[in-house]
Amino acid sequence: GYLCVEGSSAPQPCPGGTHADQSVLSTIGYLSNLTSDCIECAAGKTTYDLGQIECDSCPGGTYWIPGSNGDELCITCPAGLACDGTNATTECAAGTFASAGSELCSSCLAGKWSNATAAECTSCGADNTYSADGADHCSLCPIGSFTMGGSHVTRTLCMECSIGSACDGTSVIVECAAGHYAGAGSSSCTPCGSDDKYLNASASGCSTCPGGSHTSGGDSTTRSRCEACPAGFRCDGTSAV
């Protein structure tokens, strides 16, 4: 990759953007003419060091532009774009991102989102919002449902609240107290509402205490038990004995 010029005291390298003519080297073993023996690099290739025998392609994560000396310059890919070493750049779509110097755009992880040409993904940011992988926005988890996965700012799922529980759209799940019920997808627990109704475990509805038994626990609208009437007493299914 160096020229042995007549009268020169030292070899001279082929200039930037050129490489040594292999046919000359293989025939006479050295270079002697700057114009004919140093060949310009093909489009999309360049030399990183003077005197190179061959030209290099621009690496992934860069793109090339013509240089002032006829060579090609490898430029670091800007954030939000992907570059494969050619003269083309690709904008990252919404739901993906790329930091500076990236060869490919990467999908945002669940719990995050991005607009197009993003350098990084943004967390959903609230306990009642969530997203899946590759999202271009975060969704609001409705009341009667709960979020899960990730952290309080990167939730990944929204699920319907189960029977016997109340959910406000965040990750908080409140189990209904005795004497209260909630169907699937409820945002609040409802009292049984009558002195002859009771509920002692999570369920979607309260039960009626039959005659010959009586309710107890809680108050007149939140009874939690139905028990057999004591001997010698008459019970109508309410708390009265």
Side-chain angles (χ1 to χ4, degrees), residues 99-230:
S99 56
S102 294
E103 185 173 3
L104 299 170
C105 300
S106 301
S107 291
C108 293
L109 296 177
K112 297 186 175 185
W113 68 281
S114 75
N115 290 317
T117 65
E120 59 183 2
C121 300
T122 303
S123 298
C124 287
D127 197 34
N128 65 339
T129 58
Y130 69 100
S131 72
D133 289 335
D136 61 4
H137 70 283
C138 292
S139 299
L140 182 68
C141 191
I143 60 172
S145 302
F146 66 96
T147 53
M148 60 184 298
S151 70
H152 69 284
V153 294
T154 57
R155 297 300 181 197
T156 60
L157 291 170
C158 176
M159 308 290 289
E160 184 181 60
C161 203
S162 58
I163 291 173
S165 298
C167 304
D168 62 359
T170 70
S171 61
V172 177
I173 302 172
V174 178
E175 185 175 347
C176 294
H180 297 74
Y181 70 94
S186 294
S187 60
S188 61
C189 298
T190 303
C192 287
S194 176
D195 197 34
D196 64 342
K197 303 287 187 181
Y198 73 100
L199 181 63
N200 59 8
S202 295
S204 60
C206 298
S207 301
T208 300
C209 192
S213 302
H214 68 95
T215 54
S216 62
D219 60 28
S220 62
T221 61
T222 58
R223 298 301 182 195
S224 59
R225 295 184 298 277
C226 178
E227 301 171 326
C229 197

